[in-house]
Amino acid sequence: MKLNAAIAALAGLAAAAPSAEPDQHSRTPLLAGRADWPNGPLVTSGRWVHDASGKNVTYAGANWPGAADVMIPEGLQYQSIATIVSKVKSIGMNAIRLTFAIQMVDEIYANGGKDVTLEKAFAQALGQANGAKVLAQVLAKNPTFTAATTRLQVYDAVAAELAKQQIYVHLDNHISKGMWCCSTDDGNSWWGDKYFSAANWTRGLAYMADHAKAWPGFVSIGLRNEPREPSSKGQSAAYNWQTWYEYMKQGAAAVHAANPDPLIFMSGLSFDTFLTPVVQGTALSPGSGKFSFGDFAGYANKLVLEIHNYDNSATSCSSLQNNLYRNGFQALTASAANVFPVMMTEFGFQMDATTWKGVYASCLAAYLPAQKAGWTIWVLAGSYYIRSGRQDYDENWGLLNHDWSAWRSPSYIDGALTAMVKNTLS
């Protein structure tokens, strides 16, 4: 099947919006053959990611949140999917980190394989009156949808448009319960936390990896966003590297069994700010075991490390760079015990006329392209349907303005971000 035909078929999933869906977990991939783009499946080779022709591939993109209360990608009440994707493409970006909540998959299983409709999703998250109002806005901006369109059909439509404009999809399991992330007391911090069922997590990863077989541009998936120590231990597993490794192996195995194609991203401890023992090959405390590619037999060439950094108060670029090297970017060098590709899947700051000129933002704008390290900035969203109980929440870190119609900080886009994209991908 040709790429354009596959994209058209995907878009049709959203347009159809049947009132009763078959079990989506068993859907057949729409792409029978490999198209020129994305020329996958992608694999790793040392510190690099390669496409099927052996060409280096990296990401220069943004986060598009979809894991909050409504559990669909944000911003669709203000703009069409095509308009939003075109903004991303206009500055040369080639990747979107698209977040999802395990709760979405849990509800599909609980309902006999049938997903929740947009009508129900908005009502549950925003209340009946406000939910109906925002849904009407979404349908006006995205007229191929109906009230009966499901959440996953929205993801399908986003994936179809990203493929049409040749932008990679990196799925990210951001959270278990659909809500704003992340804190140590949100019940989503660590395996066994209030909302963080390990069994549901592996099931959800497998479901989404399988579902995304139908997306031409789907190339990678993140196992879990920002593992962190829960404030209240409750039923949580022990917070340490040894436990982390056991669950990373489980999550990776679940993804690979469901879909052998995508790259698999692993994030570190303390809100994914360091992966040092993995990189340096030291003991994964409190045990004596160490990370081994041999524990991922058959797909060791699918593993990527992801790291986050929000050191906005940095006063020294050299210190920031040294910290990044110690915390994970050493894996790009021959000095590491375990060499991996490393990508910074979150960094960000206030989008105004001056913050981007400070030490933190300007340092990363130089450092990441110099390393040829992929990245996705937090965040594309100019606003959220709801965040922490507040509806139509304005995101002043958003690349886009409140109604997603224009860049929030044109001076940053023109003065730094466009060049950062170009220099990363050159």
Side-chain angles (χ1 to χ4, degrees):
M1 184 182 291
K2 298 297 185 182
L3 178 60
N4 287 342
I7 293 167
L10 269 174
L13 290 174
S19 58
E21 290 189 309
D23 182 357
Q24 298 177 48
H25 194 54
S26 61
R27 65 172 55 208
T28 302
L30 299 183
L31 202 62
R34 294 292 168 188
D36 291 339
W37 180 92
N39 195 19
L42 305 184
V43 296
T44 67
S45 178
R47 59 143 293 163
W48 300 105
V49 171
H50 288 161
D51 65 15
S53 301
K55 180 181 178 182
N56 288 346
V57 173
T58 193
Y59 301 173
N63 282 266
W64 191 343
D69 306 53
V70 182
M71 289 177 274
I72 65 167
E74 302 281 346
L76 303 185
Q77 80 276 45
Y78 286 121
Q79 303 296 331
S80 70
I81 292 171
T83 297
I84 295 169
V85 174
S86 294
K87 295 294 289 185
V88 174
K89 188 70 173 182
S90 72
I91 56 173
M93 285 182 166
N94 72 344
I96 282 292
R97 182 175 183 247
L98 186 62
T99 74
F100 73 94
I102 295 295
Q103 182 185 347
M104 179 175 67
V105 179
D106 291 344
E107 290 176 351
I108 292 171
Y109 273 99
N111 198 31
K114 185 178 178 182
D115 193 11
V116 170
T117 67
L118 290 184
E119 182 175 37
K120 184 174 180 180
F122 277 105
Q124 288 179 160
L126 307 182
Q128 198 67 44
N130 285 353
K133 177 183 176 181
V134 176
L135 173 60
Q137 294 171 332
V138 170
L139 301 184
K141 293 294 184 180
N142 298 271
T144 61
F145 296 158
T146 72
T149 298
T150 67
R151 297 169 302 183
L152 269 179
Q153 288 178 328
V154 175
Y155 275 90
D156 291 339
V158 169
E161 186 60 37
L162 289 168
K164 182 179 179 181
Q165 300 198 38
Q166 296 194 355
I167 296 174
Y168 301 123
V169 176
H170 170 77
L171 267 179
D172 170 67
N173 172 223
H174 210 65
I175 202 163
S176 289
K177 180 179 173 60
M179 61 189 296
W180 174 250
C181 181
C182 297
S183 68
T184 60
D185 61 358
D186 63 7
N188 292 275
S189 300
W190 191 253
W191 293 270
D193 203 355
K194 182 177 180 180
Y195 303 119
F196 194 170
S197 160
N200 288 16
W201 170 69
T202 53
R203 181 180 71 173
L205 287 172
Y207 185 98
M208 292 300 289
D210 177 67
H211 183 87
K213 286 178 181 176
W215 300 351
F218 172 57
V219 292
S220 55
I221 187 168
L223 296 181
R224 186 69 176 192
N225 180 68
E226 298 191 353
R228 53 202 179 274
E229 186 171 15
S231 299
S232 176
K233 301 302 185 289
Q235 299 299 311
S236 295
Y239 177 78
N240 55 49
W241 282 106
Q242 183 178 15
T243 300
W244 171 90
Y245 192 42
E246 291 305 312
Y247 284 117
M248 286 293 110
K249 289 186 288 187
Q250 290 181 31
V255 167
H256 186 72
N259 183 350
D261 285 353
L263 299 175
I264 299 170
F265 282 41
M266 299 185 296
S267 57
L269 267 60
S270 296
F271 293 85
D272 188 23
T273 54
F274 77 109
L275 284 141
T276 309
V278 177
V279 176
Q280 296 183 352
T282 55
L284 298 167
S285 60
S288 58
K290 299 179 181 179
F291 177 90
S292 171
F293 284 106
D295 290 331
F296 303 85
Y299 56 101
N301 66 342
K302 290 291 186 179
L303 304 180
V304 177
L305 299 184
E306 63 173 308
I307 196 166
H308 294 178
N309 184 277
Y310 287 105
D311 191 8
N312 296 83
S313 61
T315 57
S316 165
C317 184
S318 61
S319 293
L320 176 57
Q321 292 177 356
N322 289 338
N323 287 338
L324 291 172
Y325 178 86
R326 286 192 299 268
N327 291 340
F329 280 88
Q330 183 184 0
L332 296 174
T333 72
S335 67
N338 295 304
V339 177
F340 290 85
V342 182
M343 297 198 192
M344 184 174 286
T345 51
E346 281 191 32
F347 69 96
F349 45 89
Q350 185 167 319
M351 286 294 142
D352 54 29
T354 59
T355 300
W356 63 273
K357 299 177 182 178
V359 171
Y360 169 75
S362 60
C363 186
L364 291 181
Y367 180 76
L368 294 173
Q371 308 309 309
K372 295 302 177 191
W375 50 268
T376 50
I377 190 171
W378 188 271
V379 60
L380 181 64
S383 55
Y384 303 97
Y385 304 120
I386 182 171
R387 171 173 158 178
S388 301
R390 181 175 174 182
Q391 298 189 23
D392 198 27
Y393 187 101
D394 186 62
E395 174 57 271
N396 60 20
W397 283 29
L399 291 177
L400 294 171
N401 61 6
H402 189 90
D403 68 2
W404 296 57
S405 64
W407 301 118
R408 187 175 290 259
S409 174
S411 63
Y412 171 59
I413 301 299
D414 296 337
L417 186 59
T418 302
M420 186 179 178
V421 172
K422 181 179 178 180
N423 293 338
T424 298
L425 301 180
S426 63

